[in-house]
Amino acid sequence: MISQQTSLKETTVRVPRSTQTTKFFEGLPEGVKHTDLLRLVQNLEKKIGLSSAAVQHLGYLVTHTREGDWQPGAAPIVYRSVQNTATDRRRTERQIHNLERALHRAGLIQWNDTENYKRYGRRDHHGHIEFAYGVDLTPLGLMYDRLVELNEQHMAYMAAFAEIKRKVTGLRRSIRSKIDWAQENGLVIDELVDELATLPRIAANMTITALTAILNQARTINFALDDVLKDEAKPEPLETPENGHSWKETSDTYSQQSVNILWI
């Protein structure tokens, strides 16, 4: 990775960026655009430790590159000055530096500034960068495969989360139906009513482990109700959009294997 601090002699020699980087950029895979990289980061911002503000700044940087900058041997360098960048984004220069440091810590950018942090560059008549000093997005391009992998894991995790949430929602509805029927028929189930009241609500930032614990707690209440009602006349089956069948939830234990997502 290029150091942010380079010698004055080095910065006065204007040579193509590809000869200065420690990693040759082989370009993005066929059919992949630099905007696809941005969408992946937007999907994963919390998973890779970025704030929304940092991701928005990355979006600004990406939109200041051209498609040709992401071709083999080229380099996507944004050489707009920090002052102009701050003006564009209605932020202070200090805030711009802080946002870029966050992107650097996440491994998405590196710098190719001069010693005094000045940023400048020039394109030829074809639009190709002849020389440039500024924010280098090469690390973002090199991370494409890893970002795709993380996004697939994230999507699988979210699908598993949604499935467990669906089960909990359907089970709550089934339990309430049983409780209503039991109370209407004079059965004493106060303890189970209290247990249902203490069943935690589902939060979007909840882990699958915590969500599964709620599901298992709801099943315990449901099975206890079944024991109370087993010698009583059963209420009519309750059709729900989630299960489309009877009010009674099956007793098989939820398998953790279906949601064993490994985040590396």
Side-chain angles (χ1 to χ4, degrees), residues 58-252:
L58 180 65
Y60 171 88
L61 295 172
V62 169
T63 57
H64 278 74
T65 64
R66 302 182 185 181
E67 188 173 349
D69 299 340
W70 300 87
Q71 300 301 313
I77 300 177
V78 180
Y79 51 87
R80 188 162 179 76
S81 71
V82 176
Q83 181 181 14
N84 287 339
T85 297
T87 300
D88 290 345
R89 303 220 55 229
R90 297 183 180 181
R91 292 180 178 272
T92 65
E93 293 184 28
R94 181 187 182 92
Q95 288 174 322
I96 296 300
H97 285 304
N98 288 339
L99 290 170
E100 290 180 0
R101 277 194 285 269
L103 293 172
H104 180 259
R105 286 194 298 270
L108 300 178
I109 69 168
Q110 60 188 16
W111 291 283
N112 184 38
D113 291 332
T114 58
E115 185 171 332
N116 59 0
Y117 301 100
K118 289 189 66 175
R119 299 175 181 181
Y120 57 92
R122 184 174 69 196
R123 294 181 182 271
D124 62 21
H125 64 283
H126 296 295
H128 301 143
I129 293 177
E130 291 185 332
F131 63 87
Y133 298 94
V135 181
D136 185 358
L137 302 180
T138 296
L140 173 63
L142 294 172
M143 282 189 66
Y144 173 73
D145 289 339
R146 180 58 178 154
L147 290 172
V148 169
E149 180 184 356
L150 287 174
N151 191 56
E152 289 174 349
Q153 293 177 359
H154 178 61
M155 296 303 291
Y157 185 94
M158 295 305 295
F161 187 96
E163 175 63 15
I164 303 174
K165 181 179 178 181
R166 183 191 66 80
K167 288 178 179 289
V168 172
T169 300
L171 197 51
R172 283 183 191 272
R173 185 179 290 109
S174 177
I175 291 172
R176 290 193 184 101
S177 176
K178 294 177 184 181
I179 287 176
D180 289 344
W181 187 91
Q183 290 175 332
E184 289 171 2
N185 288 270
L187 299 180
V188 179
I189 54 169
D190 293 347
E191 184 177 344
L192 295 176
V193 171
D194 291 341
E195 288 184 22
L196 178 62
T198 61
L199 195 65
R201 293 293 178 181
I202 298 174
N205 61 348
M206 187 174 284
T207 65
I208 280 187
T209 300
L211 184 57
T212 302
I214 294 175
L215 176 61
N216 290 333
Q217 185 179 346
R219 281 181 163 157
T220 299
I221 298 171
N222 189 51
F223 297 153
L225 275 169
D226 285 344
D227 287 340
V228 172
L229 301 176
K230 64 183 178 181
D231 295 325
E232 303 292 332
K234 299 295 189 297
E236 291 297 320
L238 176 65
E239 291 278 341
T240 69
E242 289 78 9
N243 54 36
H245 57 267
S246 171
W247 65 319
K248 185 174 181 179
E249 211 258 354
T250 55
S251 60
D252 56 304

Side-chain angles (χ1 to χ4, degrees), residues 45-46 49-59 89 91 99:
E45 63 178 44
K46 299 303 181 185
L50 290 176
S51 66
S52 296
V55 173
Q56 289 170 7
H57 186 63
L58 180 65
R89 303 220 55 229
R91 292 180 178 272
L99 290 170

